[in-house]
Amino acid sequence: MPTSHTHPSAYDVVVIGGGAAGLAGAVTLGRARRSVLVVDAGEPRNAPAAGVHTFLSREGISPAELLRTGRDEVTAYGGEIRAGTVTGARRVDGLFRVALADGGEVSARRLLVTTGITDELPPVPGLAALWGKDVLHCPYCHGWEAQDLPTGVLATGPLSVHQALLWRQWTDDLTLFTHTTAGPTPEEREQLEARGTRIVDGEVTGVETDDEGRLAGVRLADGSTVAVRALATGGTLTARAGFLAGLGLETVPVEVGGTVIGSRLETDATGLTSVPGVWAAGNVAGPTDQVVISAGAAVRAAAMLNMDLVTEETRLAVEARRAG
C-alpha cells in the first residue's frame, strides 16, 4: 500500500511501464526508500527476441528472464508491481491521478513514464510474424546471430542505404531491396556496389518461409523470389504516450538525417518532461536506445526524481518549523 510521508494515500512514485527501464527506475527508487508502484501492461517491445545483447553481465539473457529478475529486485526493495494498462493521467490537488483500464485509479506524487514504443512495420505480408526472429532492425542487437547469413535490407526510406552499409559489417552476402522507395542515389549505388551489396529493384510483396517457419526468401511483385535468411528493415517508432494527453503532454517527431522515423516524449538531460513532476526514460524518450541504455537512463531519471522529492520535503519541513 502507499506509504508516502506527505500523502499517506498516495505512492511517492508510480512507474508506468515495467520493461527494463521501468524496473531499473523502480529499483533505484526502492533503494532510496520510496514507495513505488510499477504498472505494467505486459507488452514488452523485445518479447519476440531470443536474447538481450550488449547488456554487461546479462549477455544473451532472454527478455522474459530479464524482466522476471527485475521484478524480483523491485519487490525485494518494497516496490509493488501491478498488471494493468494506464488509460489516463491528471493532476488533482498536487497529486497525479492515474486511471487504469480496469476502472481503478492510483495516486502518486511523481510519475516516471517508461512505456516504450511500438514498431509499425512496412505493410508487407509475413513480416510481423517473423519480427524479432528473422526480420530484424538493429545489427548491434541481432547482427552477431545473423552473421554470414544471406541477408536482405528492405528499404523504407533514405536511411535504408545507411542501414545496408552498416549491415554489410556482419555479412558479405547482402541484398538491398529498394521496394517502393526511390532507391539509392548514383553515389550511394556506387558505395553499395563497391562493398559487394546487390541492389534489387521492384516492390516486395511478401516473404517465403521454410518448413520450420523460418525466413527463406523475399517475394517480389514480378513473381520472383530472392533467397535470404535474415531481413533487416526499419519501421516507424511510435511512442506509447497517448494516455498523457490529460496532462498536456504530447509527443514530438524523431528525425534522423532529416527523415522522420517516429515520435518520442521530449525531456531534458535528466528525463524531466515539460510537466513538473513527470519524468520519462527508455524508448518512450529515446526510441533508438538499446536495453542497457534505456535502463541507465531510468536510473538517472529516478535519482533526479528522488532529489526533487527531497527538495519538496525539505521545503515543507522548513515551513512547518517556521510555523512553530
Side-chain angles (χ1 to χ4, degrees), residues 12 18 33-34 38 50 63 66 68 70 79-80 94 108 121 128 156 183 203 214 220 228 257 320:
D12 285 325
R33 305 185 70 182
R34 294 296 179 185
V38 179
L66 181 65
R68 279 194 294 271
E80 299 177 36
L121 299 176
T156 57
E203 182 177 358
R214 302 302 299 267
L220 300 170
V228 295

Side-chain angles (χ1 to χ4, degrees), residues 11-207:
Y11 292 92
D12 285 325
V13 187
V14 167
V15 179
I16 306 174
L23 296 175
V27 167
T28 303
L29 291 163
R31 286 177 55 83
R33 305 185 70 182
R34 294 296 179 185
S35 59
V36 182
L37 172 67
V38 179
V39 180
D40 182 34
E43 299 174 349
R45 178 192 182 198
N46 63 353
V52 173
H53 300 288
T54 67
F55 199 136
L56 192 63
S57 82
R58 292 294 181 265
E59 176 59 33
I61 189 172
S62 74
E65 180 60 25
L66 181 65
L67 295 186
R68 279 194 294 271
T69 302
R71 292 188 193 106
D72 289 344
E73 291 173 355
V74 170
T75 56
Y77 288 110
E80 299 177 36
I81 297 175
R82 178 171 175 174
T85 300
V86 172
T87 58
R90 57 198 174 95
R91 194 158 197 167
V92 180
D93 297 329
L95 292 175
F96 293 100
R97 308 288 187 184
V98 178
L100 305 177
D102 62 7
E105 184 176 83
V106 293
S107 299
R109 298 169 62 196
R110 300 292 187 272
L111 298 181
L112 177 56
V113 180
T114 56
T115 43
I117 59 175
T118 298
D119 295 278
E120 299 179 9
L121 299 176
V124 173
L127 281 189
L130 296 173
W131 180 242
K133 302 179 181 71
D134 299 321
V135 176
L136 314 167
H137 69 295
C138 170
Y140 297 104
C141 302
H142 304 287
W144 178 267
E145 287 67 35
Q147 63 180 298
D148 297 327
L149 293 178
T151 301
V153 174
L154 175 61
T156 57
L159 291 176
S160 296
V161 170
H162 166 79
Q163 192 176 30
L165 291 171
L166 186 59
W167 272 93
R168 177 62 178 78
Q169 174 67 21
W170 282 267
T171 180
D172 59 6
D173 189 347
L174 188 68
T175 303
L176 173 65
F177 297 94
T178 62
H179 190 38
T180 57
T181 70
T185 66
E187 181 182 3
E188 291 170 337
R189 186 175 291 269
E190 181 182 30
Q191 292 173 342
L192 292 165
E193 291 177 345
R195 292 278 283 159
T197 298
R198 294 181 295 276
I199 301 170
V200 174
D201 296 319
E203 182 177 358
V204 172
T205 58
V207 294

